[in-house]
Amino acid sequence: MTTFPELGLRSELLRALDDVRYTVPTPVQSEAIPVVLDGKDLLACAQTGTGKTAGFLLPILHELAYAKGPRLRALVLSPTRELAAQLGKSALRYGKYLQLRSTVVFGGVGLGPQIDQLERGVDLLIATPGRLLDHMQRGNLSFHALSAVVLDEADRMLDMGFLPDVRRILNALPAERQTLLFSATMPAEIERLAHDVMQSPVVIDVGPRATPVSTVRQVLYLVEAEQKGRLLHYLLRRGRLRHVLVFTRTKSRADWLARQLGETGRQVEALHGDKSQRLRTRALDGFRTGRIDVLVATDVAARGLDVQGISHVINFDVPQVADDYIHRIGRTARAEAQGDAISLACLDELSYVRAIERSLGATIPRKMVRGFEPGPLTVRQFTQPQASRAARLATGAIRHFAPRGQKRW
Ligand code: AMP
């Protein structure tokens, strides 16, 4: 097993790693760090929760520390503001003993303070594509000293329609540079991008693609669509669940559900793209500090969310895309901790469940809660048609829980 000192990282970085109590590099770190230190391009297939952030930030900070600055020498592109903010925090955490300047720029907040920061000079810039282009067009940036660029969560940039912006940005950077691309999945468009913007990249693939972290326990509750709210409330209460991340398909459903849960006396906030940056930051900080115990989010808003100790991820709506399921459940069980992923599935979502299971190569165990059982058609469709229900109950394929003191809302 490799250690951080064996990877050749500077002592200031090793000290910072001591502070955050990382003792052993994760697989993606062991593989990526030597490649980046070697100056090679890197194409890494790594899902969230694997420690990929330190996999690129540590060697980049190591290299930046050798040159005099501040001059913009490394750029990290992130699909979302939340991920960008988190990357910024990680850079500060890992680089705390180095005399480097890093800053984060994203949309939804004023340009002025960002321009001031850029004018004062930075070594490492973390940015979302739209706001970066804005600064570029205003002439706030010079890339002549840039030597490394990272595209983080490239598949999400593709999903969000950012690839044309990303290509424009890359075209404006010096051709002689190091390019690192991290993605949980490798759709053809990302492979094409990699081919176009990288030079003979080293390819690393940690674990099978889009496979959820093995420490997440998954379960699927069968329920009628209109009973989902009550079942969620029941599950939260029965399990005394705190620090729960709940996903809905749309922003309006996130708002609606947050209101419903709020009426039951819980500390709840919704997190989605229609909220101002101030409200999003407040929701995230509240969730981190424990002031809020349930955060209801959409996929895009939760992307890159790195909160320790999320005990449960609950899919109030089953995601329509299998990769979103993987990303969602990766929010719990960060860095090898145990976590639970619960999905509430109604008949309309059967096809999504099938697609997710095909992608997982496994069936998610089904459960029902007494008092919330769906109609026989839903049960039949979701469970093996050939085996009788009695037989499945006998083998434990279906389990019952008896709710105590149900409350309606
Ligand atoms: P990432 O996949 O980069 O989002 O990282 C997932 C989580 O793992 C973050 O909370 C990191 O702080 C944590 N982490 C990263 N590397 C290590 C390590 N070597 N040892 C322990 N925790 C780590």
Side-chain angles (χ1 to χ4, degrees):
M1 196 188 292
T2 338
T3 61
F4 282 113
E6 279 167 6
L7 291 171
L9 294 170
R10 298 173 65 101
S11 59
E12 296 93 332
L13 292 169
L14 298 177
R15 256 177 85 198
L17 289 174
D18 258 2
D19 291 352
V20 290
R21 302 209 163 75
Y22 293 1
T23 45
V24 187
T26 65
V28 70
Q29 291 163 3
S30 305
E31 291 197 51
I33 291 172
V35 175
V36 184
L37 290 178
D38 231 12
K40 295 188 182 127
D41 282 1
L42 173 70
L43 176 61
C45 197
Q47 65 193 76
T48 185
T50 53
K52 64 184 169 61
T53 311
F56 61 79
L57 280 181
L58 290 171
I60 284 184
L61 292 168
H62 176 100
E63 292 298 332
L64 289 180
Y66 279 105
K68 284 247 175 325
R71 283 183 311 153
L72 178 50
R73 281 167 298 138
L75 170 68
V76 180
L77 288 179
S78 147
T80 64
R81 303 165 187 179
E82 279 75 19
L83 177 62
Q86 225 137 58
L87 290 167
K89 282 190 187 150
S90 299
L92 289 179
R93 210 165 353 139
Y94 303 142
K96 74 194 245 201
Y97 299 114
L98 295 170
Q99 309 303 316
L100 292 170
R101 278 204 216 155
S102 64
T103 197
V104 183
V105 301
F106 49 66
V109 293
L111 280 162
Q114 296 179 355
I115 295 173
D116 290 347
Q117 289 271 347
L118 296 174
E119 276 176 357
R120 259 179 262 139
V122 293
D123 299 287
L124 169 66
L125 178 62
I126 296 158
T128 52
R131 180 52 67 98
L132 185 74
L133 276 172
D134 205 351
H135 281 295
M136 286 163 65
Q137 279 151 5
R138 288 163 192 267
N140 301 336
L141 288 163
S142 158
F143 291 126
H144 69 273
L146 193 113
S147 59
V149 60
V150 183
L151 309 180
D152 195 15
E153 307 214 336
D155 50 351
R156 181 53 53 144
M157 299 216 222
L158 166 72
D159 292 348
M160 295 173 72
F162 288 158
L163 281 206
D165 282 355
V166 169
R167 282 183 183 269
R168 280 172 65 200
I169 293 166
L170 291 171
N171 281 338
L173 305 182
E176 273 299 308
R177 57 156 202 261
Q178 187 177 23
T179 307
L180 318 175
L181 187 154
F182 287 78
S183 197
T185 57
M186 279 301 158
E189 290 92 331
I190 297 297
E191 284 186 359
R192 237 186 339 268
L193 176 75
H195 176 266
D196 294 347
V197 304
M198 300 173 107
Q199 284 174 8
S200 321
V202 175
V203 180
I204 65 175
D205 189 349
V206 279
R209 284 175 195 188
T211 302
V213 262
S214 56
T215 47
V216 182
R217 278 188 302 249
Q218 300 171 61
V219 63
L220 193 78
Y221 283 100
L222 308 185
V223 62
E224 296 297 342
E226 60 278 10
Q227 294 281 347
K228 280 187 173 188
R230 283 184 54 233
L231 176 58
L232 174 64
H233 177 53
Y234 167 71
L235 292 171
L236 291 174
R237 211 157 43 97
R238 186 198 63 185
R240 293 202 178 81
L241 306 189
R242 290 184 57 84
H243 228 59
V244 181
L245 181 60
V246 179
F247 284 96
T248 60
R249 193 154 28 224
T250 63
K251 299 171 197 169
S252 58
R253 263 170 88 75
D255 283 333
W256 168 81
L257 186 60
R259 263 197 316 276
Q260 298 286 325
L261 288 172
E263 283 170 15
T264 67
R266 287 191 167 266
Q267 299 306 312
V268 190
E269 290 264 5
L271 182 77
H272 58 65
D274 282 355
K275 299 247 167 184
S276 69
Q277 190 55 39
R278 191 179 56 79
L279 288 179
R280 288 161 75 167
T281 307
R282 202 186 68 181
L284 269 180
D285 287 347
F287 194 52
R288 278 204 186 92
T289 56
R291 181 175 57 77
I292 290 163
D293 48 16
V294 181
L295 192 64
V296 185
T298 56
D299 288 293
V300 167
R303 184 71 185 191
L305 193 76
D306 184 15
V307 180
Q308 294 295 332
I310 294 179
S311 64
H312 291 73
V313 165
I314 300 184
N315 294 312
F316 189 74
D317 297 315
V318 177
Q320 298 175 351
V321 181
D323 281 350
D324 283 342
Y325 178 82
I326 314 281
H327 287 307
R328 286 183 185 186
I329 74 170
R331 305 289 114 208
T332 184
R334 308 284 281 169
E336 311 292 309
Q338 177 80 56
D340 284 276
I342 295 170
S343 302
L344 310 189
C346 63
L347 190 53
D348 289 348
E349 295 169 317
L350 177 64
S351 60
Y352 310 145
V353 171
R354 293 253 159 87
I356 289 165
E357 292 182 330
R358 267 198 305 280
S359 164
L360 295 173
T363 307
I364 307 169
R366 274 86 162 123
K367 281 189 186 174
M368 288 190 286
V369 176
R370 187 164 294 143
F372 297 94
E373 295 97 334
L377 178 64
T378 306
V379 178
R380 213 171 32 248
Q381 296 283 336
F382 268 101
T383 47
Q384 305 275 335
Q386 65 274 26
S388 73
R389 191 157 180 279
R392 276 177 284 121
L393 269 169
T395 58
I398 302 180
R399 260 182 265 158
H400 272 298
F401 289 98
R404 285 186 297 270
Q406 276 176 31
K407 185 177 169 193
R408 286 190 168 270
W409 48 267

